Amino acid sequence: MSAAESTAHALKALNRPVVSSSVSVIAYQKSLSVDLTGQKDSFSNAAGQFLEGLPGEFPAEFSGIVQQVTGRIGEALPGLLSQIPDELDFRARQTVIRPNVTAVMPLYSGGAIPAIQHGAEAGAELARAKQAGAQDLSQVRLVQSYFGQQLAQALLASAAGTRDAFDRHLANAQALLRQGVIPRSRVLEVQVARDAAQRALERATMEERNASDSLARLLDAEGGVRPTTPLFVNGNALEPLDDFLATATSPGQPQMRAAQASRHLADSGVDLARSRMRPQAFAFGSYNFNRSDAIPVDPDWIVGLGLRFTLLSNIDRRDTLDAAQARSRAADNAARDMQKTIEIETSRAYNLVETARRSFLLLDSNIKAAEENVRVHEIGFREGEDTASQLIDARNTLSLAQTQRIASAYEYVVSLSALLMASNRGDSFRDYLLRPDRISAP
């Protein structure tokens, strides 16, 4: 995001002049050859005509003297002109230093400069939208990891309780075997169930370690993290789905912001493609700081206006414009499709939250019934009236109900976080956590 914003800021001055300074050292040689024959003939004719008309410019008493003078000049003129060669050869060799400042300022770019600037702004907005989306995803990931550790700890506690219960059942079975109340086969059934519970406990222990390690690494906590907020479910139903849909498709929603920014970026591409079909005007100027040591044909300074129009390009500008317009239409379609996708995701997350909440509440009565069923079968097993299989089934049913209740609470908090992210309400997760209808699990 910082890179995109810096790029947009760097392009804000594209319509300002570009001023550059340069110094060059030039060694050159120039040879010239000038034919003077025509100039000599023209001068001789003009001088002769002038001398012929000169006596008439003076009084008659001086005409003789003037004619003598003009005659002598006329006689000497060919000799004088003969001293001038018919062809003049000139050669110059010099090394000069040319320090100068040059400025070029765009006056009209055909819309290219605004298109580039708007495209950069759209790119920055797209980066900001992605950054906001990344924050939301990080929050969901944090919720998953934080309450994932709580889930693993709760499952570990449930597995330990189940294993301990089967330890008691096994001890009771062995006592009944010694008293001759039950056969050895029933003791073996309880032993198998107890070993299975032990394996489940070891697996839950490993998963709890993995969850704790993942959360610690996510938060860069070398000493580990001890979550204090348990899994929870809100007893009351959520707000109506339409309330979430209204904020999910608002302009501030990160995915909608990204879609709109993509549309603006594509529109800038269309404007840029159109600018290639238009002329460009610019002003320019240059100043030479070493005028005393310059090439004879170099100006001291120069200013001017330029107009440029591409008559024939090696890239088809019409096809380029068609491609940009197609990308713009695709961006429009993608924005509409994104709105539908967000609505679907919001509705799906809403239903998952409600399903998990209701399942959690319904499992309360199931757990109570399963606990009572275990108590009855424990008494029946000790009295020798119930089989080991009945007791094992009752205990497994209770363990399954407890596991489902914990899983429902975890599904609730994760789905709630996803729902709030999709509906642009990620900051309100804490509000649900602090609501008075919160029910902790287990």
Side-chain angles (χ1 to χ4, degrees):
M1 184 188 68
S2 298
E5 289 179 342
S6 297
T7 300
H9 187 267
L11 298 176
K12 286 185 176 296
L14 283 179
N15 55 345
R16 297 179 183 176
V18 177
V19 180
S20 59
S21 176
S22 64
V23 177
S24 57
V25 179
I26 301 176
Y28 74 96
Q29 175 178 303
K30 181 64 179 178
S31 299
L32 296 175
S33 181
V34 181
D35 186 5
L36 301 180
T37 304
Q39 284 73 17
K40 290 170 61 177
D41 293 340
S42 299
F43 177 78
S44 178
N45 295 332
Q49 294 176 0
F50 173 77
L51 293 175
E52 290 178 358
L54 190 62
E57 301 294 331
F58 293 92
E61 59 271 17
F62 298 110
S63 61
I65 298 174
V66 173
Q67 287 180 354
Q68 292 179 1
V69 173
T70 56
R72 291 182 180 180
I73 293 175
E75 292 176 355
L77 188 60
L80 295 175
L81 292 178
S82 65
Q83 302 299 318
I84 300 176
D86 294 338
E87 186 176 81
L88 178 64
D89 293 327
F90 171 80
R91 174 175 293 178
R93 177 179 294 178
Q94 190 178 6
T95 299
V96 297
I97 299 177
R98 300 174 60 184
N100 57 17
V101 172
T102 302
V104 178
M105 179 177 179
L107 300 178
Y108 177 70
S109 63
I113 290 179
I116 294 173
Q117 291 175 332
H118 295 162
E121 286 293 340
E125 176 59 22
L126 180 60
R128 286 189 285 266
K130 290 183 177 180
Q131 190 254 6
Q135 286 183 335
D136 289 342
L137 291 175
S138 296
Q139 179 175 331
V140 173
R141 184 183 177 190
L142 178 60
V143 169
Q144 290 175 336
S145 298
Y146 183 90
F147 290 103
Q149 182 175 356
Q150 296 287 61
L151 171 66
Q153 290 177 347
L155 293 177
L156 176 60
S158 176
T162 301
R163 194 279 312 274
D164 293 342
F166 274 113
D167 282 342
R168 293 192 299 270
H169 297 333
L170 180 59
N172 292 334
Q174 291 172 343
L176 292 174
L177 175 63
R178 289 192 298 270
Q179 297 172 5
V181 177
I182 60 174
R184 181 173 176 76
S185 60
R186 293 187 180 181
V187 177
L188 293 176
E189 290 180 13
V190 178
Q191 179 70 51
V192 171
R194 186 269 172 196
D195 293 343
Q198 179 63 36
R199 292 193 299 271
L201 176 61
E202 293 175 356
R203 183 167 55 253
T205 301
M206 180 190 65
E207 291 176 353
E208 193 277 335
R209 290 174 181 171
N210 290 336
S212 298
D213 181 73
S214 297
L215 180 59
R217 293 182 183 278
L218 180 64
L219 299 179
D220 293 329
E222 296 181 359
V225 180
R226 294 174 181 252
T228 57
T229 303
L231 288 165
F232 71 94
V233 170
N234 295 111
N236 297 330
L238 295 173
E239 298 88 337
L241 175 60
D242 290 341
D243 293 350
F244 291 94
L245 291 175
T247 56
T249 55
S250 63
Q253 208 272 354
Q255 291 175 297
M256 290 298 300
R257 287 173 58 189
Q260 292 297 331
S262 297
R263 292 177 60 181
H264 295 160
L265 186 60
D267 292 341
S268 298
V270 174
D271 295 337
L272 183 61
R274 285 200 179 104
S275 70
R276 295 171 181 170
M277 300 181 178
R278 299 167 181 166
Q280 296 179 351
F282 56 92
F284 61 91
S286 180
Y287 184 84
N288 187 356
F289 284 96
N290 189 14
R291 292 179 292 174
S292 61
D293 186 19
I295 298 176
V297 296
D298 278 352
D300 296 338
W301 53 266
I302 183 173
V303 294
L305 297 176
L307 182 66
R308 180 174 59 202
F309 182 76
T310 302
L311 299 177
L312 183 63
S313 174
N314 56 356
I315 297 177
D316 194 309
R317 289 170 288 179
R318 174 55 59 182
D319 286 344
T320 302
L321 177 59
D322 292 342
Q325 291 173 337
R327 283 191 290 268
S328 179
R329 292 191 298 269
D332 290 338
N333 294 333
R336 288 191 292 269
D337 185 66
M338 178 57 67
Q339 180 174 350
K340 296 177 183 178
T341 301
I342 294 173
E343 291 174 348
I344 293 172
E345 291 178 351
T346 302
S347 178
R348 183 179 301 168
Y350 183 90
N351 293 330
L352 287 175
V353 172
E354 276 298 293
T355 300
R357 186 186 67 84
R358 294 174 184 175
S359 297
F360 180 87
L361 297 177
L362 290 174
L363 282 168
D364 279 342
S365 59
N366 291 354
I367 290 177
K368 293 178 181 179
E371 289 174 343
E372 179 63 20
N373 188 40
V374 170
R375 190 186 69 82
V376 170
H377 282 292
E378 283 180 342
I379 296 174
F381 182 74
R382 287 196 298 267
E383 297 297 329
E385 296 180 359
D386 288 350
T387 64
S389 298
Q390 291 175 315
L391 178 59
I392 292 171
D393 290 343
R395 175 56 65 180
N396 288 335
T397 300
L398 175 60
S399 178
L400 178 61
Q402 292 173 339
T403 301
Q404 289 177 338
R405 187 172 184 269
I406 297 170
S408 296
Y410 178 73
E411 183 179 0
Y412 176 84
V413 294
V414 174
S415 300
L416 177 63
S417 177
L419 171 64
L420 297 177
M421 182 200 71
S423 58
N424 199 28
R425 296 185 178 187
D427 295 336
S428 62
F429 183 82
R430 179 179 174 83
D431 298 337
Y432 288 87
L433 182 64
L434 300 178
R435 276 168 50 167
D437 63 339
R438 189 189 78 178
I439 303 173
S440 298

